[in-house]
Amino acid sequence: MSPLITGIHHITAIAGNPQKNLDFYTGFLGLRLVKKTINFDAPDVYHFYFGDELGAPGTVFTTFPFEGARKGTKGTGELTYTAFSISVDALGFWMERLTKFNIPISTPLSRFGEKLIRFEDHDGMGIELIATDKDSRKGWTYGSIPLEFSIKGFYGATLNLKAKELTANLLTQFMDYRFIEEENGRFRYGTKGVPGDIVDIVIDPNGRQGMQSAGTVHHIAFRTANVASQLEIQQILLNNGYHVTEVKDRNYFKSIYFREPGGVLFEIATDEPGFAIDEDEAHLGELLKLPQWIEPQRAKLEARLAKVELNIEKYA
């Protein structure tokens, strides 16, 4: 039987200033802005989607930028580091790029036989770039970053928890994940165990609870093929005591949400229909797109939302 869950769909963070957020993820990291819309649950706030050329599941990092939001703090019950995948020979390029723009970086680290670097964006969002030869995705570039050094998509995510047993049971019993290996107290899980599906659990039994605000992850979404498979997962979770929401229409995918035992908000999102349903593929992210139910309020929303523009040259 085919697995119902096949990896990570997207990861969503809370951010501060919308223009700085847009500049960093497009200009510095080189991700494509594939959709500019609003937070469906808080329409006065943007929702930016950054990814590869078409915003394929497993590449999309999204943000809710709240102007003036105070910085959050990393801690337990949170996804503390989002890891992106780069080619093995791209590590030096990124270290030079980070240094050029005065962004503090870690020394090269080693994890499960692969090299990585760790840094934060301007809001304090934890980011890792992992150099791997296991990722055949081609990545995306606006031109300022050579394609061969570009980010290919997600590698995985780190969950910082006080205990792992209940979360591990959820992943392995009900979400098609399997335990892969452990190293220095880091427990790795995956569906196939390749970039784009990796979830690491790090245990900190005495750690302080994280505080969610700018620079922290709001939720991680796992991918499923369609609504039929999503409803099957929903029923499995409900039957096993998890409190799962109804299906929510996010225009570009359907979603259900629940909180895993360690406190991290999980989402199951469909691969269908994708980001090209309301914009041509060549022009993704260029216009403010609104769900049909809020389109009548466009003029009021556009007046309240901060003006932003794509400015790739800032990090050229």
Side-chain angles (χ1 to χ4, degrees), residues 217-287:
V217 168
H218 185 269
H219 65 266
I220 177 172
F222 297 88
R223 59 186 294 197
T224 192
N226 49 46
V227 173
S229 59
Q230 183 182 65
L231 291 174
E232 192 172 344
I233 297 164
Q234 182 189 49
Q235 195 58 55
I236 290 170
L237 293 168
L238 288 169
N239 290 345
N240 286 278
Y242 296 93
H243 300 287
V244 188
T245 68
E246 72 280 7
V247 175
K248 297 179 182 289
D249 186 352
R250 301 310 194 190
N251 268 19
Y252 313 106
F253 45 87
K254 300 290 197 304
S255 300
I256 57 175
Y257 301 85
F258 64 103
R259 206 165 286 277
E260 59 83 29
V264 181
L265 184 61
F266 277 11
E267 173 184 349
I268 311 294
T270 58
D271 285 354
E272 302 172 347
F275 294 102
I277 61 167
D278 57 3
E279 287 181 295
D280 184 85
E281 291 177 355
H283 299 283
L284 293 177
E286 293 184 6
L287 301 175

Side-chain angles (χ1 to χ4, degrees), residues 73-78 162 206-212 262-264:
T73 56
K74 297 181 184 67
T76 58
E78 285 193 338
K162 290 193 173 184
N206 300 313
R208 293 184 61 183
Q209 189 76 16
M211 185 188 73
Q212 201 168 79
V264 181

Side-chain angles (χ1 to χ4, degrees), residues 110-226:
S110 180
R111 182 184 300 158
F112 298 112
E114 295 176 320
K115 297 293 185 183
L116 68 135
I117 51 175
R118 174 179 280 186
F119 56 96
E120 296 180 346
D121 74 3
H122 50 285
D123 287 318
M125 174 68 199
I127 299 170
E128 294 176 337
L129 297 180
I130 299 184
T132 180
D133 59 4
K134 300 174 184 175
D135 196 339
S136 60
R137 295 173 293 181
K138 67 176 183 178
W140 158 265
T141 180
Y142 280 106
S144 57
I145 295 171
L147 182 62
E148 64 269 25
F149 298 146
S150 67
I151 288 173
K152 297 174 179 289
F154 291 129
Y155 185 99
T158 296
L159 307 185
N160 187 356
L161 306 176
K162 290 193 173 184
K164 75 174 180 66
E165 286 73 18
L166 294 178
T167 302
N169 184 69
L170 165 65
L171 290 170
T172 58
Q173 297 300 310
F174 309 124
M175 293 182 63
D176 294 309
Y177 269 72
R178 60 182 177 85
F179 172 69
I180 298 175
E181 56 186 325
E182 180 270 338
E183 180 183 84
N184 300 324
R186 176 180 291 266
F187 298 82
R188 174 154 292 183
Y189 300 83
T191 54
K192 293 182 179 179
V194 297
D197 75 13
I198 298 297
V199 172
D200 288 350
I201 295 178
V202 173
I203 306 167
D204 187 3
N206 300 313
R208 293 184 61 183
Q209 189 76 16
M211 185 188 73
Q212 201 168 79
S213 192
T216 65
V217 168
H218 185 269
H219 65 266
I220 177 172
F222 297 88
R223 59 186 294 197
T224 192
N226 49 46

Side-chain angles (χ1 to χ4, degrees), residues 288-305:
L288 176 65
K289 307 305 293 186
L290 299 176
Q292 186 175 5
W293 56 270
I294 207 167
E295 187 64 45
Q297 302 176 46
R298 174 177 287 274
K300 290 182 180 180
L301 276 176
E302 289 185 335
R304 290 199 294 261
L305 290 167

